[in-house]
Amino acid sequence: MLQHPNVEVALRYHEAVSQGATGQELARFFHEEAVQQEFPNSLFPDGVRRDLTAVLKDAERGQQVLTRQRFEVHNAVASDDLVALEVTWTGTLAVPLGDLPAGYELRAHIGVFLEFRDGRIHAQRNYDCYERLDRAAGT
């Protein structure tokens, strides 16, 4: 059975991020006018909005913060140029983050909404729900 072409791109994009894609390897998934928005969550209480330049810079920065990350896509739905994903993300800290030690495994359950233009991601909205961040700190 064939999947919607934008779902295929969304899955390849998440796989590329899992494998540490940065620079042009990551940029190829995005429209040049792309905007990524992460709504308020435990790590970004005020949320964050990034243009493509910031997305690429943060991907480079992420290489210093995480030893690895992976995405498990549970569901994907597409309609025209919109793809909605239900994802579990796991990332292992390379360095301490606040009270969390290096080696701590972060987990988030994420709703990701991707809008496509010309076959590439034009807008990304993430609703990240992190599991408790204080377990490794012994609280």
Side-chain angles (χ1 to χ4, degrees):
M1 174 188 268
L2 294 176
Q3 288 194 79
H4 190 285
N6 291 337
V7 170
E8 293 286 343
V9 173
L11 295 176
R12 287 195 316 268
Y13 160 60
H14 280 84
E15 182 60 29
V17 174
S18 290
Q19 294 176 1
T22 59
Q24 287 304 310
E25 184 181 359
L26 183 59
R28 69 185 174 97
F29 291 100
F30 289 96
H31 188 276
E32 60 201 23
E33 298 171 357
V35 175
Q36 182 187 67
Q37 186 168 6
E38 191 171 334
F39 287 89
N41 59 60
S42 298
L43 293 183
F44 298 101
D46 296 324
V48 64
R49 185 176 175 91
R50 302 172 182 95
D51 63 9
L52 182 55
T53 300
V55 167
L56 298 176
K57 284 182 184 177
D58 281 353
E60 292 283 343
R61 197 172 304 128
Q63 299 293 315
Q64 308 305 312
V65 176
L66 298 171
T67 57
R68 70 181 188 103
Q69 63 178 327
R70 70 180 186 278
F71 296 87
E72 182 181 353
V73 178
H74 303 286
N75 292 298
V77 178
S79 178
D80 299 322
D81 288 334
L82 179 66
V83 172
L85 303 172
E86 179 184 9
V87 177
T88 300
W89 172 83
T90 306
T92 305
L93 291 175
V95 295
L97 178 67
D99 292 336
L100 303 175
Y104 181 73
E105 191 171 89
L106 297 163
R107 284 179 54 89
H109 305 278
I110 306 172
V112 181
F113 296 84
L114 302 170
E115 292 180 29
F116 285 79
R117 183 182 291 172
D118 303 324
R120 296 189 295 163
I121 300 165
H122 183 257
Q124 176 176 346
R125 292 181 304 279
N126 277 36
Y127 298 84
D128 299 355
C129 181
Y130 286 88
E131 292 184 1
R132 286 181 53 138
L133 298 178
D134 57 355
R135 289 184 183 147
T139 60

